[in-house]
Amino acid sequence: MMKSLLGGMAALSLFAAPAMAGPYDPAPYVKFEHADWAKDAVLYQINTRQFTKEGTFDAAREHLPRLAEMGVDILWLMPVHPIGEKNRKGGLGSPYSVKDYRGVNPEFGTVEDLKEFVDAAHELGMHVILDWVANHSSWDNHLVTEHPEWYYHTPEGEFSSTPGTDWSDIIDFDYSQPGLRKYMTESLVYWVRDVGIDGYRADVAGFVPLDFWENARAELEEVKPVFMLAEWEQRDMHQRAFDATYAWSWKEAMQKIAEEGGTGPLNSFYYEDTNSWPDDAYRMVYTSNHDQNSWDGVASEIYGDSYEAAIVMSFVGEGLPLIYNGQEADLGHQLEFFEKDEIIWDKGQYADLFRKLISLKHETKALWNGGAGAPILRVPNDHPDTVFSFMRAGDEDKIFAVFNLSDETATVSFSKARHHGNYRDAFTGRRARIGEATSFELGPWGYRVFRTEN
């Protein structure tokens, strides 16, 4: 089935119907199976340099029991490779300036240390993906001298950083070269086969030809099921290459709401999402990540009073939620990108909220990712400009959620009967019978989330 229309009934779409033999029958858009362990997954990003005082895999491994208890499923490690020294930015350089695709940054430890980290994560039921930088390398990567033909050259015959950027510490590859494609694919396979990692987050994935990623996915799947996340927002990525892409437009909608209030930006996001994206595409939603934190600002300051509501929406609305390291500890400053800048691990005011939201997602199949979950169906209310109310109803369970996206208190009532039923409050566990006469008083940026009672 296609994602349901906002406030309407489900409709057929070529993106989601079962595959059939007839030439006029709809077929699924996504042509591969997601790994079973990704269907209800929550992502957690680790900036290894800043994650601990030591900034090593060994030190990060000590946090794994805590993260497993928190409930996260997939750990995304920022690039682990040696960093280029030529044209380096800052004292330690950018991890996205890769000097050796088959080596490990000695700042973090050794390959064996990384293997031990991955093995420990696996023992605790978590999976690990690596950040992969396929578009460019450092100026002093060994490929520059061994295979200069694998790089883009200007009309004057010079190497070049990615046009239109300030990435002066890197130079671009040329993916018209079959040798480069073979080397890069074999490198991707190496880390999965020999080190045990479970997939990749692909940096600026759209700057690399899609057919490269599609072939790489196929070769990786010959080793084991993997999870692939593209730093890009384009539905074609999902057909044969990537499980998940960035939902930048969700982040932009929620930040606009934080500034101005109102349901308009979120209405627009779900209108486009419902009508033009495959239902089995995982769209990653987040309130912070490494780019936003280092370059834009601290999440709690960007979102202000709407921060908690935005976090909750990232879990109960459609999407694959991401937590950036330190959010659960109320990370209160912008981490340096090219220098050492340690996270302060205090007990954060949102730590319990993240734990409860992860548990809710795991236990409620309607909240699972992509086609494994249920689409948003709007529940009309009498404050449509400021209150966003919806349900997600699957075969086994459903949730009913109401968000006041304004700085004024609202008493909200609802029409239609689609949300009626017996529930428990998702956070207090209290029983609630929701029917025609039900209304809620929601404070500024307040929310209520209910889960059907089993």
Side-chain angles (χ1 to χ4, degrees):
M1 301 292 290
M2 178 186 176
K3 292 182 177 180
S4 63
L5 296 176
L6 292 177
M9 303 303 293
L12 292 176
S13 165
L14 69 93
F15 295 130
M20 298 181 182
Y24 302 110
D25 290 314
Y29 187 83
V30 177
K31 305 299 184 184
F32 61 86
E33 290 290 328
H34 301 287
D36 286 340
W37 44 266
K39 292 179 180 179
D40 64 345
V42 173
L43 277 166
Y44 186 95
Q45 184 184 7
I46 294 177
N47 183 340
T48 306
R49 177 184 289 164
Q50 319 299 25
F51 193 60
T52 62
K53 179 179 181 179
E54 300 82 0
T56 63
F57 299 130
D58 284 348
R61 193 172 72 243
E62 299 301 313
H63 282 254
L64 293 181
R66 176 183 68 81
L67 295 175
E69 190 275 333
M70 186 177 170
V72 297
D73 305 284
I74 301 175
L75 306 175
W76 153 19
L77 294 179
M78 285 174 63
V80 301
H81 309 294
I83 294 172
E85 298 177 30
K86 184 177 181 180
N87 296 329
R88 170 177 286 191
K89 290 188 174 184
L92 297 177
S94 168
Y96 294 89
S97 177
V98 176
K99 190 175 182 180
D100 180 1
Y101 286 94
R102 300 182 188 180
V104 164
N105 185 350
E107 176 188 345
F108 302 153
T110 66
V111 172
E112 289 304 318
D113 295 335
L114 178 57
K115 285 182 179 180
E116 291 179 7
F117 178 93
V118 173
D119 289 344
H122 288 168
E123 290 175 5
L124 291 167
M126 296 181 288
H127 293 79
V128 181
I129 64 173
L130 297 186
D131 212 325
W132 196 262
V133 188
N135 175 68
H136 51 259
S137 81
S138 70
W139 285 83
D140 47 2
N141 190 298
H142 64 94
L143 300 177
V144 175
T145 55
E146 295 174 10
H147 292 283
E149 73 278 10
W150 289 359
Y151 288 85
Y152 168 77
H153 292 79
T154 67
E156 295 75 28
E158 299 174 347
F159 296 117
S160 174
S161 302
T162 306
T165 72
D166 64 351
W167 304 344
S168 58
D169 56 343
I170 60 90
I171 50 177
D172 269 14
F173 283 120
D174 176 2
Y175 272 82
S176 70
Q177 299 292 320
L180 169 64
R181 289 173 174 242
K182 182 174 184 292
Y183 169 84
M184 197 65 72
T185 304
E186 290 176 345
S187 299
L188 288 162
V189 169
Y190 160 74
W191 292 98
V192 171
R193 183 191 62 224
D194 294 0
V195 182
I197 67 102
D198 302 294
Y200 294 95
R201 178 265 189 186
D203 185 61
V204 291
F207 287 4
V208 176
L210 181 55
D211 65 325
F212 165 79
W213 293 119
E214 291 176 340
N215 178 73
R217 172 73 186 240
E219 294 198 27
L220 290 168
E221 290 285 347
E222 292 178 3
V223 180
K224 67 176 183 179
V226 294
F227 174 83
M228 300 289 287
L229 164 66
E231 188 197 16
W232 209 246
E233 190 169 19
Q234 181 178 327
R235 72 184 189 190
D236 291 353
M237 294 283 188
H238 292 278
Q239 189 168 48
R240 291 184 173 84
F242 291 97
D243 300 87
T245 54
Y246 273 51
W248 281 314
S249 50
W250 183 91
K251 181 262 297 184
E252 291 163 0
M254 294 306 296
Q255 291 186 2
K256 186 172 183 181
I257 289 170
E259 293 176 0
E260 303 174 3
T263 59
L266 206 52
N267 287 334
S268 296
F269 171 80
Y270 280 117
Y271 175 81
E272 193 264 349
D273 177 73
T274 295
N275 289 294
S276 64
W277 283 76
D279 72 340
D280 209 21
Y282 298 0
R283 304 190 69 187
M284 188 187 77
V285 293
Y286 62 91
T287 49
S288 188
N289 68 2
H290 67 287
D291 282 322
Q292 178 175 297
N293 173 264
S294 291
W295 308 120
D296 298 340
V298 176
S300 59
E301 296 174 357
I302 291 173
Y303 286 93
D305 292 339
S306 73
Y307 184 38
E308 184 171 323
I311 291 172
V312 176
M313 180 63 76
S314 73
F315 279 82
V316 301
E318 292 184 53
L320 169 73
L322 168 73
I323 302 168
Y324 182 49
N325 57 193
Q327 274 193 277
E328 71 272 35
D330 297 347
L331 177 61
H333 72 284
Q334 292 178 257
L335 295 171
E336 293 287 341
F337 205 78
F338 309 119
E339 311 292 346
K340 177 66 178 171
D341 189 6
E342 182 185 349
I343 296 169
I344 305 302
W345 288 106
D346 293 328
K347 169 71 183 236
Q349 63 174 314
Y350 300 111
D352 289 338
L353 177 64
F354 279 119
R355 188 176 292 105
K356 289 177 181 179
L357 287 168
I358 295 171
S359 178
L360 178 66
K361 183 176 179 69
H362 288 164
E363 295 172 358
T364 310
K365 288 189 175 181
L367 297 182
W368 287 11
N369 300 318
I376 274 184
L377 178 65
R378 294 294 298 278
V379 174
N381 66 66
D382 60 350
H383 289 68
D385 293 336
T386 56
V387 176
F388 193 82
S389 52
F390 63 93
M391 57 183 289
R392 295 180 67 186
D395 294 334
E396 299 182 25
D397 47 34
K398 69 179 178 181
I399 64 107
F400 171 52
V402 188
F403 288 79
N404 179 10
L405 303 177
S406 77
D407 58 6
E408 297 183 0
T409 297
T411 300
V412 189
S413 58
F414 311 90
S415 59
K416 301 197 181 293
R418 58 187 57 159
H419 63 298
H420 294 176
N422 294 317
Y423 296 86
R424 283 186 183 272
D425 186 291
F427 301 105
T428 68
R430 294 174 183 168
R431 287 187 173 92
R433 170 66 187 172
I434 295 178
E436 183 177 357
T438 300
S439 65
F440 300 116
E441 181 178 289
L442 298 174
W445 305 106
Y447 59 87
R448 300 291 300 274
V449 179
F450 301 90
R451 182 181 185 270
T452 46
E453 185 175 17
N454 292 331

Coordinates of all heavy atoms in Angstrom, one line a residue, residues 262-264 267 378 381-388:
G262 N 3.3 26.9 14.6 CA 2.3 26.5 13.6 C 2.6 25.2 12.9 O 3.7 24.7 12.8
T263 N 1.5 24.6 12.3 CA 1.6 23.2 11.7 C 2.0 23.3 10.3 O 2.3 22.2 9.7 CB 0.2 22.5 11.8 OG1 -0.8 23.3 11.2 CG2 -0.1 22.3 13.3
G264 N 2.0 24.5 9.7 CA 2.2 24.6 8.2 C 3.5 23.8 7.7 O 3.4 23.0 6.7
N267 N 2.9 20.1 7.9 CA 1.9 19.7 6.9 C 2.6 19.5 5.5 O 2.3 18.5 4.8 CB 0.8 20.7 6.8 CG -0.1 20.6 8.0 OD1 -0.3 19.6 8.7 ND2 -0.8 21.8 8.3
R378 N -3.8 11.7 9.5 CA -4.2 12.8 10.2 C -5.5 12.7 10.9 O -6.5 12.1 10.4 CB -4.2 14.1 9.3 CG -2.9 14.5 8.8 CD -1.9 14.9 9.9 NE -2.4 16.1 10.5 CZ -2.3 17.4 10.1 NH1 -1.6 17.6 9.0 NH2 -2.8 18.4 10.8
N381 N -8.6 18.3 14.0 CA -8.9 18.9 15.3 C -9.4 20.3 15.1 O -9.4 20.8 13.9 CB -7.7 18.8 16.2 CG -6.5 19.7 15.7 OD1 -6.6 20.9 15.7 ND2 -5.4 19.0 15.3
D382 N -9.8 21.0 16.2 CA -10.4 22.3 16.0 C -9.3 23.4 16.2 O -9.7 24.6 16.2 CB -11.5 22.5 17.1 CG -11.0 22.4 18.5 OD1 -9.9 21.9 18.7 OD2 -11.8 22.7 19.4
H383 N -8.0 23.1 16.2 CA -6.9 24.1 16.1 C -5.9 23.7 15.0 O -4.8 23.5 15.3 CB -6.2 24.1 17.5 CG -7.0 24.8 18.6 ND1 -8.1 24.2 19.1 CD2 -6.8 25.9 19.3 CE1 -8.6 25.0 20.1 NE2 -7.8 26.0 20.2
P384 N -6.4 23.5 13.8 CA -5.5 23.0 12.7 C -4.3 23.8 12.4 O -3.3 23.2 11.9 CB -6.5 22.9 11.5 CG -7.5 24.0 11.8 CD -7.7 23.9 13.3
D385 N -4.3 25.1 12.7 CA -3.1 25.9 12.4 C -2.0 25.7 13.4 O -0.8 26.1 13.1 CB -3.5 27.4 12.3 CG -4.5 27.6 11.2 OD1 -4.4 26.9 10.2 OD2 -5.2 28.6 11.2
T386 N -2.3 25.2 14.6 CA -1.3 25.2 15.7 C -1.2 23.8 16.3 O -0.1 23.5 16.9 CB -1.6 26.2 16.8 OG1 -2.9 25.9 17.3 CG2 -1.5 27.6 16.3
V387 N -2.1 22.9 16.1 CA -2.1 21.6 16.7 C -2.0 20.5 15.7 O -2.8 20.5 14.8 CB -3.3 21.3 17.6 CG1 -3.3 19.9 18.2 CG2 -3.3 22.4 18.8
F388 N -1.0 19.7 15.7 CA -0.8 18.6 14.8 C -1.2 17.3 15.5 O -0.6 16.9 16.5 CB 0.7 18.5 14.4 CG 1.0 17.7 13.2 CD1 0.8 18.1 11.9 CD2 1.5 16.4 13.4 CE1 1.1 17.3 10.8 CE2 1.7 15.6 12.3 CZ 1.6 16.0 11.0

